[in-house]
Amino acid sequence: MTTTQQYAAVTAVLVVVAGAGRVWWQLHRLRRLLRAERAAALLTDATHHRDMEVFRTRVARAVAEQQAAEEFTARFLDDLAVIATADAIVTAELARTTHHNPQEGDTP
């Protein structure tokens, strides 16, 4: 082998080594990028899951408050109906008597 051929062979080996090094470096960078993307995806999923749990908790609390308000309103309306009935009875009795404090035996 001549010196020129040796230089050509060494240059070819160096080109192959440099090409292999570049390919390895690009693969290394690609692996790092993929790891970063996976970590970001996991973080996004975890954040979404946490946010959904918070949202579900808030919705459950709002639904419970709404149901409590509806139950309170129903009880209030029932109490109001009882008071209206009692008021009607008292009004009827007052209309039936001649004065507001009837003594025993004075009612017609």
Side-chain angles (χ1 to χ4, degrees):
M1 222 177 183
T2 65
T3 307
T4 306
Q5 289 174 337
Q6 287 176 347
Y7 285 137
V10 169
T11 304
V13 169
L14 289 176
V15 167
V16 169
V17 168
R22 181 176 168 92
V23 168
W24 176 85
W25 181 250
Q26 286 177 342
L27 285 174
H28 176 70
R29 286 179 48 206
L30 186 59
R31 281 190 213 122
R32 286 179 56 196
L33 180 64
L34 285 174
R35 269 187 260 136
E37 287 294 325
R38 284 188 195 127
L42 288 173
L43 184 60
T44 301
D45 289 346
T47 303
H48 176 71
H49 180 70
R50 184 197 68 205
D51 290 347
M52 285 303 294
E53 288 301 317
V54 169
F55 175 74
R56 286 186 186 115
T57 303
R58 286 182 180 172
V59 167
R61 189 179 315 130
V63 167
E65 287 177 7
Q66 180 67 29
Q67 289 174 344
E70 289 173 358
E71 290 171 2
F72 174 78
T73 302
R75 285 193 310 267
F76 176 75
L77 291 176
D78 290 344
D79 291 346
L80 195 60
V82 168
I83 291 171
T85 303
D87 187 45
I89 292 171
V90 169
T91 303
E93 283 299 312
L94 287 176
R96 194 172 70 81
T97 60
T98 55
H99 46 80
H100 295 291
N101 285 321
Q103 300 298 322
E104 192 172 331
D106 288 346
T107 54

